[in-house]
Amino acid sequence: MIPFQCSRKWQLNGREWQMATMQAARIGPGGVGVSTFLSPCEKTCGNEIYKAGGSLIILSPEGFGERWHPPREKERLCAAGRLLYLSLYPAETSKPD
């Protein structure tokens, strides 16, 4: 397990940002990154994990509707077992308290 964090306060491509990106790039095949992947730094780290051959678990702050499906470009990753969307909330709630 390689825990690391990202912050919205970090400067784009600043020292902290680059350190997190380098740690993410080490998560290759057999590894999984778990995050909301909402902030710019988290998105960059998610892309690095994917490029290194790792998988992603995206924690959604909203529930999924009955006919929800991943975006078209992400369906292939879900089918290959490299991307999983999870949420703690039912679709009707759709917003955490």
Side-chain angles (χ1 to χ4, degrees):
M1 181 162 73
I2 305 171
F4 63 93
Q5 65 180 11
C6 291
S7 173
R8 294 178 187 272
K9 297 177 185 177
W10 292 349
Q11 181 181 4
L12 177 65
N13 294 321
R15 182 177 180 276
E16 298 95 345
W17 183 300
Q18 290 179 353
M19 292 297 292
T21 303
M22 286 189 319
Q23 286 179 314
R26 292 185 206 152
I27 302 174
V32 179
V34 180
S35 176
T36 59
F37 297 105
L38 293 175
S39 75
C41 183
E42 289 173 337
K43 287 178 184 177
T44 300
C45 288
N47 289 335
E48 289 300 317
I49 293 168
Y50 167 73
K51 287 192 294 188
S55 300
L56 302 172
I57 296 176
I58 299 177
L59 304 174
S60 176
E62 300 177 354
F64 303 112
E66 185 178 320
R67 296 181 185 258
W68 183 90
H69 59 87
R72 183 173 295 264
E73 65 275 4
K74 306 276 171 80
E75 286 180 351
R76 180 179 52 83
L77 294 173
C78 289
R82 291 191 57 202
L83 179 59
L84 174 66
Y85 287 89
L86 293 177
S87 180
L88 294 173
Y89 308 101
E92 296 78 36
T93 306
S94 99
K95 293 189 183 190
D97 293 336

